[in-house]
Amino acid sequence: MSQLSRARNAAALLALPLLLTACSTAGGEQSAADAGPPKAGGTLRLGISSAPDCIDPQQTATNASINVARQLVDSLTDQDPKSGEIKPWLAEKWESNADSTAFTFHLRAGATFSDGTPVDAAAIKTSFDGIKALGTKAQLGYGYLAAYKSTTVVDSQTARLEFSAPSAQFLQASSTVSLGVLAPAAFKKTPEQRCQGNGLVGSGPFTFESLKQNQEIVLAKRKGYTWGSSLFKHQGEAYLDKIDYKIVPEPGVRTGSLASGQLDAITDVQPVDEPQFTSNGFTENIRPNPGVVFNLHANTTRGVLTDEKVRQAVLKGVDRTEVVNTVLTPSYKPATSILGSATPLHSDLSAQLAYDQKGAAALLDGDGWVPGADGIRTKNGQRLSAAVVFSPVFNQNRSVLELIQQQLRKIGFDLKIEQHTNAETTQIQLSGNYDFLWYNVTRADPDILRGQFSTKAGNRSRLTPGNPLDVALDAQSSTVDNAKRKPSADEAQKLIVDHAYAVPVFELTQVVAESAKAHAVDFEASSRLQLFDAWLS
């Protein structure tokens, strides 16, 4: 993972789970048209910002890992990036029971793994049982399959997955790389071996070829592939012969290598570098992440944050537009809810999240917080202060938090900033030993809120069980019908903002730059790379 650099922007981010809005390109439409129709062949040299920690799709947790692993496996379903709808992939059709505790998938005929064995119901069972057996090593799949009981092989092309609790979120989860299907042979290798590509047998459009630690990963086209997702732009084999992921942590080296022609495309373009790739034959592909936006998540049992009026004042005292305009670029959006605008069933709460310094001050005045000599308020001898714990998974995190720190001083709030490693931050979060947590979580389903806020799951706010938010989160997880899900998803978002359990700030955005030679280095619904349709001119 690249180190925090306040002179540079955007690097690797934790890839937690995943969405919707169309990709936008800068200067890309004309150059793609000029290049003519897509053609097969060639090796895409793709610069990525960090070394994947593991390339087994079922164990991946970072964007770098998922951007590799997504090309190796197919999923039961796919998700439309524009509408959020779930579409056929390995499964032609499916149905669920009334309370979303059982899902039956009818598999398409003819799909095979790269070792020649069929993608049948028995293989589906082996794969899902294998993910469950990984436990917390399946860093994203562990949550998706928390209530998973078993898979029944109804017949060779029909598998029924059963859960111990309503799991409407599973349908969207079935489209993610984390639940991508591996061949039975893969489970004869250890999880550690699969992380390094050893025995990594999938049915995807590419196969693993080689890995040089901290240098590069090479994937090769799967010959004879004819069972692509219904959302792919073409059918048959992938266009590219190979994908060569070059690991280039230093942002300046990555951008220089693209500019000089040593690379065909790069991920994690820094905000400061975006302008140089919007013309001169270069294009940018830009897509916001779905899921939980970058936010200050409050521990409601700690210090001044036990006071709801204090939390509400902080929510009003953050100027989200200034954050985007000062530290980021127009590619990034101020938060309009705790969920990103690219997330299905996102609610627009921008009015409630408007910057209101006077309103924040009035709340604190009415609550008895009096400005001190240094401008920081006090009440009964207690300073109005709290610390935020963060790790540099996004290179601009410190710069964003320092600006928020300045903004909150204007209302008399002292925000202390504590930087930790990813591992340390995880331990602090699990222990509950924090005031604010700063993070984002990516997933194209509103159920991502349940993982962070439910008292039955992450409960990062340290709420009491049986609260109204629990009720709303449980309700949205009980049906796959979006019309029925929406009211409870809306209610959950509203409760989080109204009570300021978290203070949403901005939406993370993926920015990929392409040379004139590279085309369709594109995103799937989770804002991860989907390279089946990518090609070189």
Side-chain angles (χ1 to χ4, degrees), residues 75-78 86-95 104-111 119 124 155 157-159 171 174 226-230:
S75 298
L76 285 170
T77 64
D78 203 356
I86 306 302
K87 298 289 190 179
W89 195 343
L90 287 175
E92 292 181 317
K93 58 182 180 177
W94 52 86
E95 55 267 352
T104 302
F105 293 91
H106 304 273
L107 305 177
R108 65 191 296 169
V119 180
I124 300 299
D155 59 45
Q157 297 303 111
T158 311
L171 189 56
S174 73
T226 60
W227 47 88
S229 162
S230 59

Side-chain angles (χ1 to χ4, degrees), residues 423-458:
E424 290 168 348
T425 301
T426 298
Q427 287 307 309
I428 291 168
Q429 181 253 308
L430 292 172
S431 71
N433 188 28
Y434 56 86
D435 301 331
F436 282 120
L437 286 174
W438 174 257
Y439 70 97
N440 81 302
V441 184
T442 303
R443 188 181 178 188
D445 191 275
D447 194 67
I448 188 62
L449 295 176
R450 195 161 53 94
Q452 318 311 313
F453 290 89
S454 171
T455 62
K456 303 169 187 175

Side-chain angles (χ1 to χ4, degrees), residues 9-33:
N9 301 264
L13 61 138
L14 278 184
L16 280 115
L18 307 181
L19 139 62
L20 176 117
T21 98
C23 312
S24 63
T25 58
E29 298 297 330
Q30 188 61 42
S31 61

Side-chain angles (χ1 to χ4, degrees), residues 270-494:
Q270 307 170 74
V272 73
D273 289 326
E274 285 183 36
Q276 69 177 294
F277 296 123
T278 58
S279 59
N280 302 319
F282 295 98
T283 60
E284 286 177 352
N285 206 352
I286 300 166
R287 182 180 174 82
N289 282 45
V292 174
V293 300
F294 266 112
N295 74 100
L296 296 163
H297 196 136
N299 181 342
T300 63
T301 66
R302 291 265 293 199
V304 301
L305 301 183
T306 60
D307 186 337
E308 184 167 301
K309 286 187 170 59
V310 167
R311 300 197 306 270
Q312 290 169 332
V314 171
L315 186 130
K316 290 177 179 291
V318 174
D319 187 341
R320 295 155 185 82
T321 301
E322 184 183 36
V323 168
V324 168
N325 291 346
T326 305
V327 182
L328 303 170
T329 71
S331 297
Y332 296 76
K333 295 181 180 181
T336 55
S337 175
I338 185 63
L339 290 177
S341 57
T343 319
L345 305 185
H346 159 271
S347 294
D348 186 352
L349 302 176
S350 48
Q352 292 91 315
L353 294 175
Y355 178 52
D356 183 6
Q357 184 181 341
K358 290 182 179 178
L363 270 174
L364 295 171
D365 289 340
D367 202 29
W369 292 94
V370 180
D374 62 353
I376 300 304
R377 294 173 183 259
T378 61
K379 178 180 177 181
N380 301 326
Q382 183 180 24
R383 276 172 66 84
L384 188 59
S385 177
V388 56
V389 169
F390 84 101
S391 61
V393 292
F394 173 61
N395 269 6
Q396 285 304 99
N397 273 345
R398 178 171 284 277
S399 297
V400 168
L401 289 172
E402 287 176 348
L403 178 55
I404 292 172
Q405 183 182 55
Q406 295 169 23
Q407 293 173 349
L408 293 181
R409 284 194 72 87
K410 295 176 183 176
I411 65 168
F413 189 100
D414 178 25
L415 181 69
K416 298 183 184 301
I417 300 171
E418 297 182 1
Q419 180 174 331
H420 295 271
T421 65
N422 294 336
E424 290 168 348
T425 301
T426 298
Q427 287 307 309
I428 291 168
Q429 181 253 308
L430 292 172
S431 71
N433 188 28
Y434 56 86
D435 301 331
F436 282 120
L437 286 174
W438 174 257
Y439 70 97
N440 81 302
V441 184
T442 303
R443 188 181 178 188
D445 191 275
D447 194 67
I448 188 62
L449 295 176
R450 195 161 53 94
Q452 318 311 313
F453 290 89
S454 171
T455 62
K456 303 169 187 175
N459 195 17
R460 295 185 176 192
S461 301
R462 294 299 192 261
L463 302 176
T464 303
N467 64 79
L469 180 54
D470 269 356
V471 174
L473 291 171
D474 285 348
Q476 65 79 36
S477 73
S478 65
T479 176
V480 296
D481 184 335
N482 276 348
K484 293 178 180 177
R485 259 187 114 184
K486 183 168 174 53
S488 50
D490 287 345
E491 177 68 5
Q493 293 168 75
K494 184 175 185 298

Side-chain angles (χ1 to χ4, degrees), residues 32-55:
D34 291 347
K39 64 179 185 178
T43 298
L44 176 70
R45 300 166 301 168
L46 177 62
I48 60 177
S49 63
S50 62
D53 55 349
C54 173
I55 60 171

